[in-house]
Amino acid sequence: MNSALDAAAIRARAEVAITVALEVGRETARFRRDSGPASLAVENKGLQDFVTIADRKAEQAIRDGLFSHFPDDIFMGEESGGRSGEAGTWVVDPIDGTTNYIRGFRHWGVSIAFVAGSKVEIGVVYDAVQDQVFHAVRGGGAFKDGSPVHAAATADPANALVILGHSRKTSFDDYLALSKRLHERGMDYRRMGAAAIDLVRVAEGAADLYYERHLNAWDMLAGALIAEEAGATVAMPPVDRLLAQGGPVIAHAPGLAGEFAFILDIEGLAAAPA
């Protein structure tokens, strides 16, 4: 890490990101409670890919909140775009799980990651279900509202709960085949529709696996770091590649490494070093 982004600089950014995520998350939840469906001004970016006025307002509020403290940082958001660079980059999804948000299904969140030197150094996720913030700074553990969280100790697949994501950029037949294989091993599974929240479910031990074959960087980077710092086994492509084109993510309870090794083989990935 260069001198401009030493441990104190990273910690300062984490503290601001936690505050911003909580404030923006709560305001976005309030807006959904108080607004009728027409007020959301839903637009269709693609098949089952939506954006609302709330997404745009939230992203602008996050940008303003971060830049008021760190004006020289770079910003990459789902709705406004942007780029990564040599300086530290904020990678933001203002509402991860927009379809859930639109329909009033409260499995959505705010995802804020900070990348420096091709590594995710900070991950912050506001969880709308619990009205709480998960966060991690690389090397410092994972927390929910300041209390440590840990991946599950599950070792028996018959006791496992897994969450699977699916993108229309990937094969639905492959998704069904994977679901069948896990089912045959005795596992129960869900599809919830918000990757950042699914990843923090692994971090807090509520789920034993989250896997999706293709995500954008803003969907996954914050949650992946939180899961890794909570002790989960995490595998994904290099951050530079994810920033450019997205890709898969796998996060699972370490005691089930043998059960999920075939997924890493499918993606040609290795787990991050412990």
Side-chain angles (χ1 to χ4, degrees):
M1 191 181 303
N2 63 49
S3 58
L5 294 172
D6 59 14
I10 293 294
R11 172 51 59 185
R13 282 166 171 76
E15 291 173 357
V16 169
I18 291 166
T19 298
V20 168
L22 183 61
E23 291 177 351
V24 173
R26 285 179 170 172
E27 174 57 25
T28 302
R30 184 206 61 76
F31 182 78
R32 179 63 183 83
R33 288 194 306 269
D34 296 348
S35 301
S39 301
L40 295 177
V42 177
E43 298 177 19
N44 196 325
K45 297 189 290 183
L47 187 59
Q48 291 293 324
D49 186 8
F50 304 104
V51 62
T52 72
I53 189 173
D55 293 88
R56 295 194 170 101
K57 284 184 172 181
E59 185 161 307
Q60 187 61 52
I62 294 168
R63 179 193 289 266
D64 292 346
L66 296 173
F67 278 8
S68 67
H69 294 272
F70 312 109
D72 296 327
D73 289 350
I74 296 171
F75 188 92
M76 175 185 286
E78 178 178 10
E79 308 309 334
S80 61
R83 59 184 178 83
S84 60
E86 293 298 322
T89 303
W90 294 100
V91 184
V92 171
D93 191 342
I95 303 179
D96 183 54
T98 295
T99 299
N100 292 347
Y101 179 82
I102 292 168
R103 301 303 297 266
F105 178 42
R106 290 190 64 197
H107 191 82
W108 61 270
V110 176
S111 178
I112 302 174
F114 184 73
V115 176
S118 299
K119 290 186 177 181
V120 185
E121 296 289 349
I122 299 167
V124 176
V125 173
Y126 170 77
D127 176 6
V129 175
Q130 302 184 68
D131 186 33
Q132 293 180 310
V133 175
F134 291 79
H135 86 274
V137 173
R138 178 167 296 281
F143 301 86
K144 178 170 71 172
D145 276 7
S147 297
V149 293
H150 303 284
T154 310
D156 183 348
N159 295 329
L161 176 66
V162 305
I163 303 175
L164 302 176
H166 173 65
S167 165
R168 289 178 181 270
K169 296 179 180 179
T170 60
S171 165
F172 190 62
D173 287 340
D174 288 348
Y175 171 81
L176 292 176
L178 176 70
S179 302
K180 183 174 185 292
R181 180 165 178 172
L182 297 175
H183 173 77
E184 289 173 344
R185 291 293 295 151
M187 302 181 204
D188 202 356
Y189 59 93
R190 309 282 186 269
R191 179 171 183 262
M192 306 297 285
I197 304 301
D198 297 336
L199 284 161
V200 300
R201 294 290 174 263
V202 175
E204 66 177 338
D208 298 298
L209 167 74
Y210 176 67
Y211 169 49
E212 184 155 351
R213 297 207 69 182
H214 186 275
L215 290 163
N216 292 308
W218 46 74
D219 297 312
M220 63 189 285
L221 292 185
L225 179 65
I226 294 167
E228 182 180 339
E229 288 293 326
T233 300
V234 176
M236 59 187 186
V239 171
D240 290 348
R241 188 191 311 171
L242 291 172
L243 290 170
Q245 63 191 43
V249 65
I250 304 150
H252 65 75
L256 291 165
E259 293 293 331
F260 300 133
F262 78 96
I263 302 177
L264 275 69
D265 290 341
I266 288 171
E267 298 296 348
L269 295 173

